[in-house]
Amino acid sequence: MEEIPKIEDKIKALYLYIDANTSDTEGDSWYYGYNPIIVSHINTLSKAECERLVSEIWNWKEEILVDLADPFLQIRNPNLDGSFLYCKIFMNIT
């Protein structure tokens, strides 16, 4: 598994990581491989970065939102309500 790009903009890095791997449909690679990396990354976001993430994800491609939903259920960042975001993603997908 690749790592999330080491760039200053952590939100863009998250987008780039998910976008680069969205075509991987092999077995449990998302559950055991990508999701823990995404969760770990989201857990490091500051309050300001969390606010920016919540405002920006609604402009992301639907495929990326689908891949982002499950990790939201596992995050432990006090600045994000992962369950709410999980539900909102699926309510917004057409």
Side-chain angles (χ1 to χ4, degrees):
M1 299 281 140
E2 295 177 31
E3 290 185 18
I4 291 183
K6 303 278 189 231
I7 59 176
E8 189 174 338
D9 185 339
K10 290 183 177 182
I11 308 305
K12 183 175 183 178
L14 178 62
Y15 178 90
L16 292 171
Y17 179 76
I18 296 172
D19 190 44
N21 294 296
T22 202
S23 64
D24 185 347
T25 57
E26 291 296 319
D28 291 331
S29 60
W30 276 94
Y31 187 78
Y32 293 107
Y34 302 112
N35 288 0
I37 293 169
I38 293 168
V39 169
S40 178
H41 182 76
I42 291 173
N43 284 339
T44 69
L45 299 178
S46 69
K47 183 177 181 181
E49 289 168 329
C50 287
E51 290 170 0
R52 203 174 118 229
L53 175 66
V54 170
S55 85
E56 287 186 18
I57 61 172
W58 311 116
N59 298 318
W60 292 4
K61 296 185 285 188
E62 190 172 290
E63 297 83 12
I64 291 178
L65 288 177
V66 169
D67 290 333
L68 183 60
D70 283 343
F72 274 145
L73 291 176
Q74 300 172 356
I75 61 168
R76 298 289 178 253
N77 188 317
N79 300 302
L80 288 171
D81 183 343
S83 297
F84 171 78
L85 291 168
Y86 175 87
C87 291
K88 188 169 179 180
I89 283 172
F90 285 109
M91 289 178 60
N92 284 300
I93 293 175
T94 55

